[in-house]
Amino acid sequence: MTSYKPPFFLFNAHLETIYPALLRRVPLQPYHRERIATPDHDFLDLDWLRQGSSQLVIISHGLEGNSHRGYIKGMTKMCIANGYDVLAWNFRGCSGEMNHQLRFYHSGATDDLDCVVRHAIGKGYQHITLIGFSLGGNLTLKYLGEQKPLSVIQKAVAFSVPLNLYTSCRKISLSSNRLYSERFLKSLKKKIITKAASRKELDITNIQNITSLIDFDNRYTAPLHGFGSAIDYYTQCSSLQFLPAITVSTLIINAQNDPFLSEDCYPVKLLEGHPYVRFENPLYGGHVGFAQFHKNGLYWSEERAMHFIND
């Protein structure tokens, strides 16, 4: 289960990344949405699919994603087919409605994930698995390693994780990755402009002159969330430093050809002999890719996650 080979027409990392992001469609029954309050008087929108299971999978999406992205719905479909209830939560400002507070979301906002987990426990779940993709993967791993995890969390899986946020941000900012960085920047700027309509203290002067994710994080992400700079934000929130402390059975999968990830995101030696964390780095997969066909619409990543969860 640790090997993956892409379909013949997805013959490079960019195609492996872009095809699923733009063209994948996953038929899925409608979610039931629940809005919960956060301790700071904001809200989070949670999308549920339940079938009376005592076991729950909580799924965290990536940068500028949401619960309706193909990779979230694909994993949800797999979990439902294997008897689990699913909670796919939306980060602040990602559910289709802008959140109330000046802050929004970031790679290390584990307070919101903790709020979601505790809400699920309040529903009666005694067995919870966490799955995260990209930014959501970093968030999940940081959450597991920064403090003693709640006993109900039994397993975790993280895909395409920028374990070192700074070097990965530099990687995605290369000219060869301009398509991705510009798309993310466009979406992030739009959210800041939208929020500024109701929060006048948010300065959007010359926002269109921001041309890199690091510059965006310096101007907005870092100060809005209490960090001194983008570098300070990356340093404090990179999950790489939290991996040694994880005490939950965890699987991390980063494809070797992921165009977003730096060399630091392949900590083979660091995790060698780790009693709880397994790291796999298949040759192919791109970033949140792992497409395959003739498997009932399910991707390799979903099969691999379920095999690990059920093992």
Side-chain angles (χ1 to χ4, degrees), residues 167-307:
T167 55
S168 293
C169 193
R170 290 182 61 185
K171 178 74 177 290
I172 198 175
S173 298
L174 295 175
S175 58
S176 58
N177 288 327
R178 184 175 300 156
L179 174 67
Y180 310 116
S181 59
E182 288 184 351
R183 187 180 183 195
F184 285 136
L185 264 179
K186 182 179 179 181
S187 182
L188 289 165
K189 289 178 184 178
K190 183 179 179 180
K191 281 188 175 171
I192 291 292
I193 292 169
T194 299
K195 185 180 284 286
S198 59
R199 302 299 299 248
K200 301 302 181 183
E201 67 269 47
L202 198 55
D203 183 12
I204 57 172
T205 305
N206 298 322
I207 189 173
Q208 298 304 339
N209 292 339
I210 295 175
T211 58
S212 73
L213 289 169
I214 291 178
D215 288 345
F216 179 89
D217 288 336
N218 256 322
R219 182 166 176 187
Y220 292 110
T221 309
L224 287 176
H225 300 99
F227 301 104
S229 65
I231 300 301
D232 182 40
Y233 157 53
Y234 301 146
T235 300
Q236 291 197 48
C237 295
S238 292
S239 59
L240 185 64
Q241 64 195 304
F242 297 98
L243 299 183
I246 291 177
T247 57
V248 171
S249 181
T250 300
L251 173 65
I252 304 171
I253 297 181
N254 283 349
Q256 293 181 38
N257 70 342
D258 190 318
F260 293 14
L261 303 186
S262 64
E263 291 184 10
D264 297 328
C265 299
Y266 303 90
V268 176
K269 289 193 177 298
L270 174 68
L271 295 176
E272 188 175 356
H274 195 297
Y276 296 101
V277 180
R278 175 169 181 165
F279 181 77
E280 296 177 0
N281 55 340
L283 287 173
Y284 306 105
H287 190 76
V288 192
F290 305 104
Q292 66 180 9
F293 298 95
H294 311 299
K295 292 293 185 76
N296 195 30
L298 296 169
Y299 278 16
W300 178 87
S301 47
E302 292 138 21
E303 290 187 332
R304 181 68 190 99
M306 191 51 56
H307 184 269

Side-chain angles (χ1 to χ4, degrees), residues 50-103:
R50 302 180 199 173
Q51 51 189 351
S53 177
S54 62
Q55 301 183 85
L56 176 70
V57 176
I58 297 177
I59 308 178
S60 302
H61 61 75
L63 180 65
E64 287 302 274
N66 55 56
S67 62
H68 289 276
R69 292 298 171 91
Y71 60 91
I72 299 294
K73 295 177 77 173
M75 190 64 72
T76 297
K77 179 179 178 180
M78 172 62 87
C79 292
I80 289 292
N82 281 270
Y84 294 86
D85 284 5
V86 175
L87 192 175
W89 69 293
N90 300 276
F91 304 158
R92 300 191 193 208
C94 293
S95 64
E97 180 178 338
M98 189 54 63
N99 65 300
H100 300 323
Q101 295 293 341
L102 189 60
R103 64 170 285 190

